[in-house]
Amino acid sequence: DVMHDWNNSPTQQHVQSFYMDETEVTNLMYLEYLDYLKRVYPPSEERYRNIYHGALPDTLVWRNRLGYNETMTNNYLRHPAYANYPVVGVSWIQAVEFSKWRTDRVNELRLEKEGFT
């Protein structure tokens, strides 16, 4: 509040679906990203803990007042049956960070194919 009018109040906003890649990002693709973060920035070390935990999607998106789907809440991201399903519960910031990581990996593969390694 730049003018210090104190007329703003925090509200919850809903962001419509958005693309993070050329195609839908699957749970398997996002788990690869999480695995990379876990290897490079081990959450067991205090200074890196927030990097990994900050990248985890919100699994509570399946919960609502009218219906409670505990199976989806507990299993959707990591269960092999849902590996090729689209990842859900990712914030805009998480999507941007995933996109940066994915761009780096694609460019690495392209350089390897062209013999620039």
Side-chain angles (χ1 to χ4, degrees):
D1 186 12
V2 179
M3 302 301 292
H4 302 290
D5 291 335
W6 305 105
N7 61 357
N8 58 345
S9 58
T11 60
Q12 184 176 7
Q13 299 293 320
H14 177 76
V15 178
Q16 295 297 323
S17 297
F18 51 86
Y19 286 98
M20 296 173 15
D21 205 338
E22 285 185 89
T23 61
E24 285 183 332
V25 175
T26 64
N27 286 328
L28 182 61
M29 293 167 69
Y30 203 80
L31 285 172
E32 289 173 353
Y33 169 61
L34 292 175
D35 184 56
Y36 169 83
L37 289 178
K38 191 182 277 189
R39 282 185 286 112
V40 175
Y41 306 104
S44 58
E45 293 185 31
E46 185 65 34
R47 62 184 174 164
Y48 297 137
R49 184 167 294 140
N50 291 334
I51 294 173
Y52 177 76
H53 292 293
L56 292 172
D58 180 12
T59 58
L60 300 180
V61 295
W62 296 108
R63 291 186 179 179
N64 66 33
R65 288 184 288 252
L66 299 175
Y68 181 73
N69 198 340
E70 188 69 29
T71 303
M72 295 299 249
T73 302
N74 291 336
N75 299 324
Y76 183 76
L77 178 64
R78 289 186 169 79
H79 195 280
Y82 300 112
N84 293 318
Y85 283 56
V87 68
V88 297
V90 176
S91 71
W92 182 259
I93 294 170
Q94 291 169 325
V96 169
E97 293 302 316
F98 172 84
S99 297
K100 289 178 189 175
W101 172 81
R102 178 99 165 112
T103 300
D104 288 344
R105 300 298 77 76
V106 169
N107 288 338
E108 283 177 8
L109 289 173
R110 185 170 293 140
L111 289 173
E112 286 177 10
K113 285 182 181 178
E114 294 175 5
F116 291 106
T117 57

